[in-house]
Amino acid sequence: MEVVNNPSKRRGIAPVKAEFIINKQNIQENCESVFGDEEAGDNSKNKEPSKKKSRVTRKRGRNKEQAKNTFAEPIRLCHKISLGEQCDNEFCKFSHDLQAYLKVKGEDLSDRCPNFEKFGKCRFGYRCRYLKAHLSPDDKLIVNEELASSGIFVEEKNNQSTQVQKRLRTHSYKFPKADTYLAEMQQEIEKQKELEKANRLAKSNPDNKLNKPSEESNVDSGTNVELSERLDTNEVKVNDLNEDITLKVEEESDKSFGSDTESTNTKKRIKYENGDFENKEKVKLEEEIELKSRDDVNVEEFIDTPDVPLRTREKKKMTFKNKLYLAPLTTVGNLPFRRICKEFGADITCGEMAMATNLLQGQQSEWALLKRHISEDCFGVQICGAKAEHLVKCAEMLNNEIEADFIDVNLGCPIDLVFNKGGGSKLLMHDGRLGKILKGMNKVMDIPVTVKLRTGILDNMPLAAKLIPKFQNWGVELATLHGRSRQQRYTKLADWKYITEVSSKTNGMSYFGNGDVLGYEDYYHHIENDHVDGVMIGRGALIKPWIFDEIKSKRHYDISSKERFDILRKFCDYGMEHWGSDTIGINQTRRFLCEWMSFLYRYIPVGLLEVLPQRINERPPAFRGRDDLETLMASPNSKDWVKISEMLLGPAPDSFVFVPKHASNSYEG
């Protein structure tokens, strides 16, 4: 009976000590006193939209009901005037009336400005919501000359220059390396089209010499066309050749994927739907390849063949093995959060996923995702796209314009918006196109290319095992495999058995696993047993960013509510450095803090657990903390997350409504 009555002992429920559990029948009547004050329930600004609407009126997508307000001030003050300077732009569209602005500006939130404390000068001047911290009695802005003498007012790199933005928007930015590679690739595509046309003519004309068997060779004819090998026999459309010809591939390999001579022993026969063909010229090419060593293969001669090695060139070398890698996380993996993780011991950080097409258009919001803090000593950016033209050009541009140690290609994004356009996990289905993309990126960059991928599209049809062996020949230095398919999203547990199985096919390339690591035991178990060079940590760091410290010290950290609150305060300070201490910046910080709280509340303090460690697939039951703040932080109610933000950033605007963007979990019960 105890197992039934105690929810913490059921399968899929975290084992919280009985004295901290809130009885199910009392949760509803106690929710106001446990999770917030009574007034919060009647506050319209925290009222969440209804979860269900009719199919006719309901908008599709999780964030369609979220407020889109930017919380702009009624008067937009000129930036020069806000700094106490004179504006010389006669065409300036912003207000120059400082006194009128100060009358309608909201009250100061505090007398402590994090930007002024750190840099000696606040770059938001009169617009700062902590103005009294750097305002003299005669209403003049104060500057701490000792701190401001360095001339540094923000510790961030990779800001987009106006010149680059203008060239991108006017399509005048030059891509010499990418254009050369794409032109060569197009020439090979044209040659392949001509060859296929000749084959069709040869088939229709039996007297054509091209259709006669070769007298010089008895081997089967082959081809250097790169095709998607999803299964042993499968139908594929040659999208990369822009034709609708349906081909069937039958691959017979004398050796396994791990063999160095795999490509020379593999025989491919290509059949059109209504007949076979043999090609004398192709047979000669294959015989020539067999006579050459792998190091002597001319990449230009066989540009469409993914198995030939890349040209040797000087690149920046990186060591990934045994490094603690913070995963690229959309929305929640922002720069202030990465700074928190870096302080707790993360070795490698990566920016949020950026769309290659948006970067090439010079979109400022997309370029903001590439910003790097000076504390991020090993930093990469992740890009996503569907076409070689976009990704190769984007790689050359980023190589020239930003400071990054590597560029990661997203091959795992499961969302429909990206997948339906051919990006993210959709590229796993088109290894021919993927090979051209990765080889092209390597040609135009002098920093490493890495990839992050899922096991496949469908649960019962994994693709990673066939792609991983090819990555090294395509120039990839690190592949990270998330042990879930696109169909699975974030439900259920990651398949580490499959991650281990694929590790035997890496051919010496650096290889990381990813999925469901929430403690140092999980980390070291995978390192010691699953044949990976490292583990990428995503949601585990969102739930408890001190996981990196736990891994390095091999201990469970029973962090107090005060310490956790100090982490949130530090995040807010970093947020105001990054997004700003004006009205818009503060509410941006508030929104991203609440997004992070949608993961943080899942943490269960070590002192409340009956059994260690906490598992990521175990749902936290309703529980009371050891003090009121710990209880508030455990609330799953978004109104309480807003309340925590008000404790740090002052009152939220009346129109502020928060609905979490992410709700991913792998709970079993």
Side-chain angles (χ1 to χ4, degrees):
M1 293 299 294
E2 183 182 358
V3 174
V4 176
N5 292 334
N6 190 345
S8 69
K9 294 186 178 181
R10 295 199 307 266
R11 180 178 180 271
I13 304 297
V16 176
K17 294 177 181 178
E19 59 265 32
F20 297 105
I21 294 290
I22 302 174
N23 294 329
K24 186 174 181 180
Q25 60 270 22
N26 296 331
I27 292 177
Q28 192 67 31
E29 60 189 56
N30 291 338
C31 66
E32 294 297 340
S33 59
V34 173
F35 294 143
D37 54 31
E38 296 181 0
E39 295 178 2
D42 297 327
N43 196 339
S44 60
K45 70 182 178 183
N46 292 331
K47 186 177 181 181
E48 297 183 42
S50 59
K51 298 295 183 183
K52 282 286 186 179
K53 289 188 177 182
S54 69
R55 300 180 72 87
V56 177
T57 60
R58 186 177 61 202
K59 296 179 181 179
R60 298 190 65 183
R62 179 167 184 83
N63 298 298
K64 299 301 183 184
E65 303 296 339
Q66 194 165 17
K68 301 299 181 183
N69 295 337
T70 58
F71 309 106
E73 295 171 312
I75 296 179
R76 300 183 66 183
L77 188 66
C78 171
H79 179 64
K80 289 282 188 179
I81 300 298
S82 69
L83 295 177
E85 301 173 4
Q86 190 69 29
C87 179
D88 299 326
N89 184 2
E90 58 180 324
F91 301 106
C92 182
K93 298 179 180 180
F94 300 101
S95 173
H96 293 171
D97 191 343
L98 178 60
Q99 296 305 318
Y101 169 80
L102 293 175
K103 287 180 181 178
V104 299
K105 179 191 171 189
E107 294 183 3
D108 280 2
L109 302 175
S110 172
D111 56 359
R112 172 186 170 269
C113 175
N115 288 316
F116 178 74
E117 282 186 356
K118 186 166 188 176
F119 304 110
K121 179 180 178 180
C122 178
R123 69 182 190 275
F124 296 93
Y126 289 103
R127 291 185 291 128
C128 178
R129 293 299 301 275
Y130 304 94
L131 178 59
K132 64 177 69 174
H134 45 82
L135 189 69
S136 66
D138 57 347
D139 293 338
K140 300 292 183 181
L141 294 175
I142 299 174
V143 177
N144 185 330
E145 297 295 345
E146 183 179 353
L147 294 175
S149 59
S150 64
I152 299 175
F153 305 113
V154 62
E155 298 177 327
E156 297 174 3
K157 302 178 181 180
N158 299 344
N159 292 296
Q160 184 187 25
S161 68
T162 55
Q163 293 85 355
V164 170
Q165 185 183 57
K166 182 177 180 180
R167 280 187 287 158
L168 289 171
R169 292 184 175 181
T170 57
H171 306 288
S172 59
Y173 195 95
K174 303 299 181 183
F175 303 93
K177 295 179 182 178
D179 288 340
T180 301
Y181 173 78
L182 293 170
E184 293 171 352
M185 188 177 70
Q186 187 61 34
Q187 289 176 4
E188 293 300 323
I189 290 174
E190 294 300 328
K191 289 180 183 178
Q192 187 61 37
K193 288 182 179 180
E194 293 176 4
L195 180 61
E196 290 177 354
K197 183 178 179 180
N199 287 332
R200 287 196 295 270
L201 292 174
K203 180 187 169 183
S204 62
N205 183 4
D207 296 330
N208 194 308
K209 293 182 180 181
L210 289 176
N211 195 42
K212 293 181 180 180
S214 171
E215 297 177 357
E216 300 177 6
S217 176
N218 294 324
V219 299
D220 292 336
S221 61
T223 182
N224 67 338
V225 182
E226 175 59 26
L227 298 171
S228 299
E229 300 166 358
R230 300 192 192 101
L231 296 173
D232 294 337
T233 301
N234 205 354
E235 286 190 4
V236 205
K237 286 190 177 180
V238 192
N239 294 327
D240 296 89
L241 301 179
N242 300 320
E243 289 196 340
D244 294 330
I245 303 169
T246 304
L247 305 176
K248 288 189 177 182
V249 179
E250 297 178 9
E251 178 181 286
E252 298 175 357
S253 179
D254 296 335
K255 293 194 175 184
S256 64
F257 275 114
S259 174
D260 289 335
T261 59
E262 168 201 357
S263 60
T264 62
N265 293 327
T266 301
K267 301 175 182 179
K268 295 182 181 179
R269 286 197 305 274
I270 297 187
K271 300 179 180 180
Y272 285 97
E273 289 184 340
N274 54 355
D276 298 342
F277 69 86
E278 295 182 351
N279 189 300
K280 176 180 177 181
E281 297 175 6
K282 286 293 181 179
V283 172
K284 290 183 179 179
L285 288 175
E286 282 197 346
E287 291 175 346
E288 291 176 10
I289 295 175
E290 291 177 2
L291 295 175
K292 294 181 179 181
S293 67
R294 293 182 64 87
D295 294 333
D296 295 332
V297 175
N298 184 354
V299 179
E300 300 297 328
E301 189 175 351
F302 306 104
I303 194 167
D304 282 337
T305 306
D307 293 327
V308 297
L310 292 171
R311 221 181 271 174
T312 57
R313 60 176 295 175
E314 291 297 326
K315 280 184 175 290
K316 178 180 178 180
K317 298 297 181 183
M318 285 189 61
T319 302
F320 294 98
K321 188 175 178 63
N322 294 328
K323 296 288 184 67
L324 295 181
Y325 191 166
L326 173 64
L329 302 162
T330 305
T331 305
V332 284
N334 47 67
L335 185 145
F337 173 74
R338 297 198 305 270
R339 289 181 64 180
I340 296 291
C341 292
K342 192 67 187 171
E343 291 176 0
F344 278 113
D347 297 316
I348 304 174
T349 56
C350 188
E352 303 172 61
M353 181 186 75
M355 300 304 296
T357 51
N358 294 343
L359 293 173
L360 291 172
Q361 292 168 4
Q363 290 188 12
Q364 191 172 355
S365 59
E366 209 74 15
W367 274 78
L369 303 177
L370 310 178
K371 289 186 178 182
R372 170 185 190 171
H373 191 261
I374 59 173
S375 65
E376 297 180 274
D377 52 351
C378 185
F379 172 78
V381 297
Q382 187 184 69
I383 59 175
C384 181
K387 297 182 179 179
E389 178 184 5
H390 299 153
L391 286 165
V392 175
K393 285 185 176 181
C394 186
E396 181 177 0
M397 176 188 65
L398 296 179
N399 187 71
N400 297 335
E401 303 298 340
I402 70 169
E403 293 185 30
D405 299 295
F406 63 91
I407 292 182
D408 187 76
V409 181
N410 185 306
L411 304 179
C413 182
I415 64 174
D416 295 340
L417 183 64
V418 174
F419 183 85
N420 292 339
K421 291 183 178 180
S425 54
K426 186 66 172 287
L427 279 175
L428 299 177
M429 300 171 59
H430 303 289
D431 54 348
R433 189 191 313 167
L434 180 58
K436 292 179 176 64
I437 289 170
L438 295 175
K439 289 190 293 183
M441 291 178 65
N442 268 287
K443 280 194 171 186
V444 302
M445 297 195 311
D446 54 16
I447 57 176
V449 175
T450 67
V451 296
K452 183 174 185 287
L453 69 159
R454 286 176 176 256
T455 59
I457 309 301
L458 303 175
D459 291 344
N460 60 353
M461 190 182 293
L463 301 173
K466 291 190 175 183
L467 287 172
I468 289 286
K470 302 178 182 181
F471 282 152
Q472 189 173 29
N473 288 333
W474 291 342
V476 174
E477 291 206 16
L478 169 68
T480 301
L481 180 58
H482 182 186
R484 291 183 173 89
S485 67
R486 179 194 182 246
Q487 180 184 16
Q488 188 179 350
R489 299 291 178 104
Y490 294 94
T491 60
K492 305 177 184 178
L493 288 176
D495 189 354
W496 275 90
K497 183 178 179 181
Y498 184 74
I499 294 175
T500 306
E501 176 187 333
V502 174
S503 67
S504 63
K505 305 178 185 294
T506 58
N507 298 330
M509 174 186 63
S510 296
Y511 177 62
F512 276 39
N514 172 234
D516 302 338
V517 174
L518 191 58
Y520 75 87
E521 294 100 330
D522 300 329
Y523 176 85
Y524 286 107
H525 173 80
H526 296 316
I527 291 291
E528 294 167 4
N529 299 288
D530 295 322
H531 309 292
V532 293
D533 296 312
V535 176
M536 178 183 283
I537 302 173
R539 284 181 299 156
L542 290 170
I543 294 172
K544 55 175 190 179
W546 52 91
I547 186 175
F548 302 103
D549 183 37
E550 288 189 345
I551 291 171
K552 290 186 174 181
S553 60
K554 294 186 179 182
R555 66 185 177 97
H556 293 293
Y557 187 9
D558 189 8
I559 186 170
S560 67
S561 60
K562 183 181 182 303
E563 290 174 294
R564 291 167 65 193
F565 191 76
D566 288 340
I567 293 172
L568 297 182
R569 187 186 303 280
K570 186 177 292 187
F571 175 87
C572 291
D573 287 350
Y574 294 164
M576 285 184 282
E577 286 182 34
H578 181 59
W579 292 298
S581 57
D582 59 343
T583 299
I584 295 176
I586 286 174
N587 284 293
Q588 279 283 77
T589 303
R590 188 190 309 278
R591 182 172 75 86
F592 285 106
L593 174 64
C594 291
E595 291 284 4
W596 186 20
M597 287 296 301
S598 68
F599 289 91
L600 277 173
Y601 87 90
R602 307 178 195 182
Y603 171 71
I604 304 174
V606 171
L608 274 61
L609 288 169
E610 288 183 341
V611 179
L612 294 176
Q614 179 185 356
R615 300 295 182 187
I616 204 167
N617 63 317
E618 294 177 339
R619 184 186 300 275
F623 66 90
R624 288 186 175 86
R626 292 166 291 190
D627 54 50
D628 292 340
L629 182 57
E630 194 168 75
T631 301
L632 183 64
M633 289 181 168
S635 170
N637 193 330
S638 62
K639 294 184 293 186
D640 292 311
W641 308 338
V642 175
K643 180 179 179 180
I644 292 174
S645 78
E646 292 179 328
M647 296 166 64
L648 294 161
L649 297 168
D654 292 338
S655 58
F656 185 85
V657 178
F658 176 74
V659 178
K661 183 176 181 181
H662 296 282
S664 56
N665 66 70
S666 54
Y667 296 146
E668 292 184 353

